[in-house]
Amino acid sequence: MNETSNKLDATLPWYRQAAPWLLLAGPALVVVASFVTLGLAIRSDDGLVSDDYYRRGLEVNRTLAQSARAASLGLTAAVSLGGEGITVRLAARDPAYSAPATLAAKLSHPTRAGLDQSLILKRNGDRYQGALRLPAAGHWLLQLEDETNNWRLSGNL
């Protein structure tokens, strides 16, 4: 019986035998998976890649100079997030430093640009306050700049 089944298999055309289809299944599956991956890559947005990366690269020196200026003034900021928004208390080591009327604050998520928030904080006595949608739990970056973009403080929340 074994001999007759081998003779029968040898007389069938290739497309009626199981072995060629098993050999073709692996590469065919890889081709289908590559098209699925291509479709996902085209449809999804990669929020980590910036379209204006060259211009941002040129701004690095300006950003470093702003941070160095804040360090030379001895600026520090105490930040608190609460139900009413954000409150910042700014202090400077340099006695000649005069506090600006407003601060520009940018709260950003390292990987989810859609959650980033920018706002202007107004001085109220020795504090700066502004309304802010409280961010989701996780790692957040906070940047504070004066109204003339002379200095910049950065930190993690």
Side-chain angles (χ1 to χ4, degrees), residues 61-72 150-154:
N61 287 338
R62 184 181 67 86
T63 301
L64 292 174
Q66 286 177 315
S67 296
R69 175 78 175 137
S72 71
N150 191 25
W151 55 263
R152 177 177 129 178
L153 288 174
S154 299

Side-chain angles (χ1 to χ4, degrees), residues 13-140:
W14 72 270
Y15 55 86
R16 297 241 177 187
Q17 297 181 18
W21 290 110
L22 284 174
L23 290 174
L24 289 174
L29 217 82
V30 169
V31 169
V32 169
S34 67
F35 280 111
V36 169
T37 303
L38 177 66
L40 288 173
I42 290 172
R43 276 184 291 173
S44 65
D45 177 34
D46 188 2
L48 296 178
V49 177
S50 173
D51 290 335
D52 57 350
Y53 63 90
Y54 183 74
R55 183 184 60 81
R56 287 189 180 192
L58 292 176
E59 291 179 0
V60 168
N61 287 338
R62 184 181 67 86
T63 301
L64 292 174
Q66 286 177 315
S67 296
R69 175 78 175 137
S72 71
L73 292 171
L75 288 175
T76 58
V79 178
S80 64
L81 295 173
E84 68 279 350
I86 184 170
T87 303
V88 176
R89 182 173 276 175
L90 195 63
R93 186 181 63 234
D94 186 355
Y97 175 76
S98 63
T102 61
L103 290 179
K106 181 178 181 184
L107 189 66
S108 59
H109 194 276
T111 58
R112 297 170 62 194
L115 299 177
D116 294 355
Q117 299 179 51
S118 295
L119 65 146
I120 301 296
L121 304 176
K122 295 181 180 163
R123 190 166 75 190
N124 185 5
D126 64 341
R127 297 178 183 167
Y128 293 88
Q129 295 177 327
L132 176 73
R133 287 178 292 132
L134 290 179
H139 183 84
W140 290 88

